[in-house]
Amino acid sequence: MEQATCQQSSCGPDNTALKLKVGKIKHTFVVMSGKGGVGKSTVAVNLALSLSMHGLRTGILDVDIHGPSVPKMLGLAQEKVIVGGNEIIPHEVFNGLKVVSMGFMLNNSEDAVIVRGPAKAGIIRQFIENVAWGDLDCLVVDCPPGTGDEPLSVVQLLSTGRASAIIVTTPQQMATIDVEKSITFCRKLDLPITGIIENMSGYICPHCQAESDIFSSGGGYKLSQKFDVPYLGAIPLDAGIVKCGDEERPYLQSYPKTETSTRFDEIVERLKAIYLDLQHTEKSGSCCDGSNVQGCTGGGSCCS
Ligand code: ADP
């Protein structure tokens, strides 16, 4: 039997609340990787912290539903979700970095979240629509590895022209092959790519400061050339990152003056410049739902 398809727009989901929330976020950096274990969450957490330390109102949203690691990396592993009114209130750390993660919903860190497809999309929607994010300059989204439901939902929910991807890879060829899939994913979904970061790139000896290429280096840069995508920089292998991970502290807070933190800082300076440039471009006219409509000054017919 032929299935009836309702043509009434009123039958679709009401996106008003979602659009209002998204409209208050000036830019979203979606942090992705082709593979697990390349340091994507480490990079996402430290970038968010650094953006916040650079004076931008910043949030980090951990949409790794099955393996949330952001709370642990920020020393929030014991924290639970806070609800105020009808909204989730983000945890705030280090002078105002706002944090939301599936990890806050779990009773125990070993609990397994068993959801798939549409349910995941629903959870991620709530993490944007039902959270008191307030006005943010930057939202950093930490996605699970690969090109599955989570990054897809994020991109669809934030499809306002104010989101872009940051792709994290390690230098080895095996990792960069998977990153190519992430690049294809972004291109298929029209998500601009802010750039590639090569993590675990070389090793700087903490004693003599000499740099050696344990895992080789340069794979991320080569990839950026091959696909004509910006290269944002490299973060070295650093025993301090492992130590901080184990001690549940963010690296940049514990080691603000190392070569690794300088590298993070240089990347964030680039991100900040990109963010400011985007804000400048957007002044050409942005719609009240956050989308960039040429010539719209808000409140016009396209906004009703
Ligand atoms: P992913 O999110 O890609 O799965 P994580 O950020 O959880 O990866 O990192 C995996 C492991 O690698 C963690 O133990 C983390 O401390 C470590 N790690 C990440 N980046 C570095 C680095 N640059 N130097 C040393 N260890 C790192």
Side-chain angles (χ1 to χ4, degrees):
M1 203 171 80
E2 201 182 318
Q3 215 175 355
T5 310
C6 180
Q7 301 299 320
Q8 303 259 337
S9 60
S10 56
C11 288
D14 181 359
N15 288 328
T16 316
L18 177 72
K19 283 184 176 178
L20 276 174
K21 272 287 151 67
V22 173
K24 288 179 163 190
I25 303 169
K26 290 196 178 155
H27 195 78
T28 303
F29 292 112
V30 184
V31 183
M32 306 173 63
S33 68
K35 252 190 170 8
V38 299
K40 172 191 45 60
S41 297
T42 304
V43 169
V45 161
N46 285 289
L47 290 184
L49 183 59
S50 183
L51 285 165
S52 171
M53 286 169 9
H54 275 74
L56 297 177
R57 295 166 300 174
T58 308
I60 181 162
L61 171 58
D62 177 7
V63 298
D64 194 337
I65 308 249
H66 301 286
S69 50
V70 169
K72 204 164 176 251
M73 289 183 178
L74 287 169
L76 297 170
Q78 305 307 321
E79 301 297 332
K80 297 288 170 250
V81 65
I82 310 170
V83 178
N86 292 329
E87 292 195 308
I88 295 170
I89 313 291
H91 286 279
E92 274 192 38
V93 283
F94 311 117
N95 264 341
L97 173 64
K98 296 183 175 178
V99 192
V100 169
S101 166
M102 187 70 199
F104 300 142
M105 318 286 162
L106 305 177
N107 285 330
N108 301 298
S109 57
E110 65 274 17
D111 285 354
V113 178
I114 303 170
V115 282
R116 60 181 168 193
K120 271 192 215 170
I123 293 171
I124 294 170
R125 186 184 172 112
Q126 282 192 31
F127 280 167
I128 298 167
E129 186 179 321
N130 300 129
V131 171
W133 288 111
D135 291 305
L136 288 183
D137 295 317
C138 294
L139 178 66
V140 175
V141 181
D142 182 22
C143 290
T147 53
D149 289 323
E150 294 87 343
L152 180 61
S153 297
V154 168
V155 175
Q156 286 173 338
L157 291 164
L158 295 168
S159 59
T160 61
R162 287 173 161 192
S164 59
I166 294 175
I167 300 176
V168 181
T169 185
T170 49
Q172 306 94 318
Q173 207 192 357
M174 278 312 285
T176 55
I177 287 170
D178 284 313
V179 170
E180 298 189 6
K181 293 181 191 154
S182 300
I183 295 174
T184 313
F185 172 89
C186 294
R187 294 209 161 141
K188 282 206 166 146
L189 295 175
D190 283 333
L191 179 69
I193 301 173
T194 290
I196 294 177
I197 296 176
E198 182 171 296
N199 187 33
M200 307 192 192
S201 173
Y203 172 74
I204 297 170
C205 171
H207 307 293
C208 67
Q209 303 303 314
E211 191 163 355
S212 45
D213 280 351
I214 294 183
F215 289 161
S216 80
S217 64
Y221 180 73
K222 278 190 206 134
L223 208 61
S224 73
Q225 299 287 296
K226 181 174 170 191
F227 287 92
D228 196 19
V229 170
Y231 180 66
L232 289 170
I235 305 293
L237 265 172
D238 189 318
I241 292 189
V242 180
K243 190 165 183 281
C244 285
D246 290 347
E247 292 172 1
E248 306 193 1
R249 292 180 287 130
Y251 178 85
L252 284 186
Q253 198 229 0
S254 306
Y255 295 92
K257 293 200 160 60
T258 58
E259 173 63 23
T260 303
S261 50
T262 303
R263 302 271 187 95
F264 270 117
D265 200 57
E266 285 166 0
I267 293 172
V268 167
E269 286 293 345
R270 270 172 219 136
L271 294 184
K272 196 173 169 185
I274 291 165
Y275 163 79
L276 291 173
D277 205 37
L278 286 169
Q279 297 313 302
H280 183 70
T281 312
E282 246 196 36
K283 282 202 179 132
S284 63
S286 72
C287 195
C288 58
D289 69 355
S291 57
N292 196 354
V293 177
Q294 201 70 27
C296 172
T297 50
S301 58
C302 61
C303 297
S304 55

